[in-house]
Amino acid sequence: MFGIWSRVRRRLWPEKYPVPLDDKIIAAQNLMREGDWAQAIDAWKAIIARGDELMPATVYARLIEAYRQLGALEDVEQTVAEAEAEGAGHISIYAGAAQAFLKVDRGEKALAFARKAASRAESLDDKREALALVASVESEYADKAKAAELLTGLVA
């Protein structure tokens, strides 16, 4: 009963009773699961536009993933810049950007973002994951010997 009244209040007076952030995130994630990339992008952008002080890097990473699915590389780069400006530069953002550029065979950009992910990794597991991504891009587009050296260092 109270759930219905909450939804009615939000529709009648949206400025007074905004949709909780958690609900918006769940809705955006559902759009991603359904493969509705354009709607998901709009949903993630609306979440970011709320202007919460501590916007989690995950929100930016999911927006980058939706742009990647559409092949919107300029938007990927712009989102990375926005995340950095907001202080949300996390390994997941750079790894997502690297994967977006890998998807369209832009190795030089992918490598730059993969290296940035490695430089921002805080935990040992994140560092290993980022270095594996760097090695993968290196082996595909740059220096196979350097990739082998990175991978050897990861298992040693």
Side-chain angles (χ1 to χ4, degrees), residues 102 107 110-112 114-115 131-151:
L102 275 176
L111 188 56
R115 286 179 176 154
L131 288 174
L133 178 61
V134 171
S136 173
V137 178
E138 284 275 7
S139 70
E140 187 73 27
Y141 294 99
D143 187 351
K144 290 189 186 308
K146 189 169 187 171
E149 182 180 319
L150 278 170
L151 290 173

Side-chain angles (χ1 to χ4, degrees), residues 51-154:
D52 290 356
E53 261 183 53
L54 298 172
M55 186 56 59
T58 305
V59 173
Y60 289 102
R62 298 294 281 167
L63 178 57
I64 287 169
E65 182 181 339
Y67 281 134
R68 177 176 60 92
Q69 293 295 333
L70 292 178
L73 299 180
E74 289 176 10
D75 292 320
V76 166
E77 287 187 286
Q78 181 180 343
T79 302
V80 169
E82 289 171 11
E84 289 175 331
E86 292 296 322
H90 183 266
I91 178 176
S92 60
I93 291 169
Y94 303 114
Q99 291 168 348
F101 283 95
L102 275 176
K103 184 177 179 180
V104 293
D105 289 332
R106 297 268 311 275
E108 72 288 345
K109 282 277 194 185
L111 188 56
F113 281 119
R115 286 179 176 154
K116 208 165 203 180
S119 72
R120 296 290 176 102
E122 294 175 6
S123 72
L124 186 56
D125 286 341
D126 284 349
K127 188 75 163 177
R128 285 183 180 139
E129 184 178 332
L131 288 174
L133 178 61
V134 171
S136 173
V137 178
E138 284 275 7
S139 70
E140 187 73 27
Y141 294 99
D143 187 351
K144 290 189 186 308
K146 189 169 187 171
E149 182 180 319
L150 278 170
L151 290 173
T152 302
L154 286 175

